Amino acid sequence: MIRCIAIDDEPLALEQISRFIRRIPELSLVGACLTARQANELMERETVDLLFLDIELPGMDGVEFAKSLFERSYAAATPLSVVFTTAYPQYAVEGFRVDAVDFLLKPLSFTDLQNAVEKVKRRISLNKLETAANKEQDNHIFVKANGLMRKISVPDIVFIKGLSEYVQICVRGEKKFIVTHESLKHFESLLPSDKFLRIHKSFLVNMTHLECADSEFLTVGGFELPVGQKFRPAVKQYLAQIVH
């Protein structure tokens, strides 16, 4: 069952999409909200897999709200799916920049919603396959990049840099970073903690590639990376262990 929330500041539009959701057996409507704030409060209490999210909302627009969610732990263990709804087609590009599953123009039809749900189901299935593959391959992980599943050797990962909506994975021997829509927290929980160390809010480092270090910077794979003040005690403890 896919647990979802509908968010729209127009009561009639909210009621319509709620009715459509109730007609789809795979969906469970957790709540219907008029603002992003209401939805955020609900998500603090409930597990949610999918948002049907209007873009024009009071206080915080839908795109900014989606960005804020992808930066938090909601997107770590179980990636959140977002379907944007709006009466304004010019928002489409901005919506897809936050990796929306679909972008529906109002007035919505039931068929529009059904098609969007099929896309969501495919994405959830792909995420499950990725998770299963990662569990089976201790020395490899699989990530989605440019629409494809990429197999990456864990020992070859030098570091991972977290961005607002994506991460960049620096891999030994690769000329370019591998970019995937995930959170740094996701990889922190996925990769072995005896080798990968969070040194900054934006960096997770494979310490087997460590070249030199001081209290403020580490050099790994030729890259000089900052050590955040919050993470310095953990870095200091790790360095003390490998020195002795």
Side-chain angles (χ1 to χ4, degrees), residues 101-113:
V101 178
D102 209 347
F103 187 95
L104 305 182
L105 283 175
K106 297 177 181 178
L108 304 180
S109 71
F110 182 62
T111 300
D112 291 335
L113 199 72

Side-chain angles (χ1 to χ4, degrees), residues 48-67:
V48 177
D49 307 306
L50 168 63
L51 297 183
F52 291 98
L53 180 58
D54 187 19
I55 288 183
E56 289 205 329
L57 293 170
M60 177 186 288
D61 69 57
V63 173
E64 290 303 314
F65 182 49
K67 286 180 180 178

Side-chain angles (χ1 to χ4, degrees), residues 64-88:
E64 290 303 314
F65 182 49
K67 286 180 180 178
S68 74
L69 295 178
F70 286 131
E71 290 169 7
R72 287 150 51 183
S73 58
Y74 297 112
T78 304
L80 181 69
S81 297
V82 174
V83 173
F84 283 114
T85 62
T86 183
Y88 303 97

Side-chain angles (χ1 to χ4, degrees), residues 36-50:
R37 181 177 179 179
Q38 289 179 1
N40 187 58
E41 291 173 353
L42 183 57
M43 294 179 73
E44 294 288 347
R45 306 187 304 269
E46 300 283 352
T47 300
V48 177
D49 307 306
L50 168 63

Side-chain angles (χ1 to χ4, degrees), residues 21-34:
I21 290 170
R22 293 187 184 100
R23 291 173 58 186
I24 298 178
E26 298 93 337
L27 300 185
S28 172
L29 183 63
V30 174
C33 304
L34 292 167

Side-chain angles (χ1 to χ4, degrees):
M1 188 68 69
I2 301 172
R3 294 169 60 82
C4 62
I5 293 178
I7 310 165
D8 199 305
D9 65 335
E10 299 178 10
L12 291 178
L14 186 60
E15 176 56 31
Q16 181 193 51
I17 196 169
S18 297
R19 287 199 309 269
F20 287 166
I21 290 170
R22 293 187 184 100
R23 291 173 58 186
I24 298 178
E26 298 93 337
L27 300 185
S28 172
L29 183 63
V30 174
C33 304
L34 292 167
T35 66
R37 181 177 179 179
Q38 289 179 1
N40 187 58
E41 291 173 353
L42 183 57
M43 294 179 73
E44 294 288 347
R45 306 187 304 269
E46 300 283 352
T47 300
V48 177
D49 307 306
L50 168 63
L51 297 183
F52 291 98
L53 180 58
D54 187 19
I55 288 183
E56 289 205 329
L57 293 170
M60 177 186 288
D61 69 57
V63 173
E64 290 303 314
F65 182 49
K67 286 180 180 178
S68 74
L69 295 178
F70 286 131
E71 290 169 7
R72 287 150 51 183
S73 58
Y74 297 112
T78 304
L80 181 69
S81 297
V82 174
V83 173
F84 283 114
T85 62
T86 183
Y88 303 97
Q90 64 267 28
Y91 288 128
V93 173
E94 189 176 5
F96 282 118
R97 280 178 181 160
V98 295
D99 201 31
V101 178
D102 209 347
F103 187 95
L104 305 182
L105 283 175
K106 297 177 181 178
L108 304 180
S109 71
F110 182 62
T111 300
D112 291 335
L113 199 72
Q114 284 181 308
N115 291 336
V117 170
E118 289 302 314
K119 293 180 182 179
V120 171
K121 288 163 61 179
R122 287 195 292 271
R123 173 170 291 192
I124 290 174
S125 295
L126 186 60
N127 286 330
K128 288 180 178 178
L129 286 173
E130 177 188 353
T131 300
N134 287 333
K135 287 180 179 178
E136 291 175 5
Q137 298 284 347
D138 290 339
N139 289 322
H140 297 85
I141 62 171
F142 288 82
V143 301
K144 297 185 291 294
N146 297 321
L148 301 172
M149 292 290 287
R150 284 287 308 271
K151 182 179 181 180
I152 303 175
S153 169
V154 170
D156 287 339
I157 297 174
V158 179
F159 66 86
I160 304 175
K161 180 179 180 180
L163 304 173
S164 60
E165 303 147 27
Y166 299 86
V167 297
Q168 293 177 328
I169 305 175
C170 177
V171 179
R172 181 172 54 187
E174 296 271 354
K175 293 182 179 180
K176 295 182 179 180
F177 291 150
I178 296 173
V179 179
T180 185
H181 184 87
E182 269 295 358
S183 69
L184 205 57
K185 183 182 285 290
H186 168 79
F187 288 101
E188 190 175 9
S189 65
L190 181 67
L191 295 168
S193 59
D194 60 328
K195 294 182 175 64
F196 285 82
L197 186 65
R198 187 78 171 263
I199 68 163
H200 188 277
K201 67 178 182 179
S202 300
F203 290 101
L204 178 65
V205 171
N206 185 347
M207 297 298 281
T208 63
H209 292 282
L210 179 67
E211 296 164 3
C212 61
D214 61 29
S215 60
E216 297 184 359
F217 292 94
L218 299 184
T219 301
V220 290
F223 293 85
E224 188 177 73
L225 306 179
V227 178
Q229 188 168 358
K230 171 184 174 183
F231 301 91
R232 287 176 188 173
V235 172
K236 184 177 180 179
Q237 182 181 3
Y238 185 94
L239 293 175
Q241 289 174 347
I242 63 174
V243 168
H244 294 93

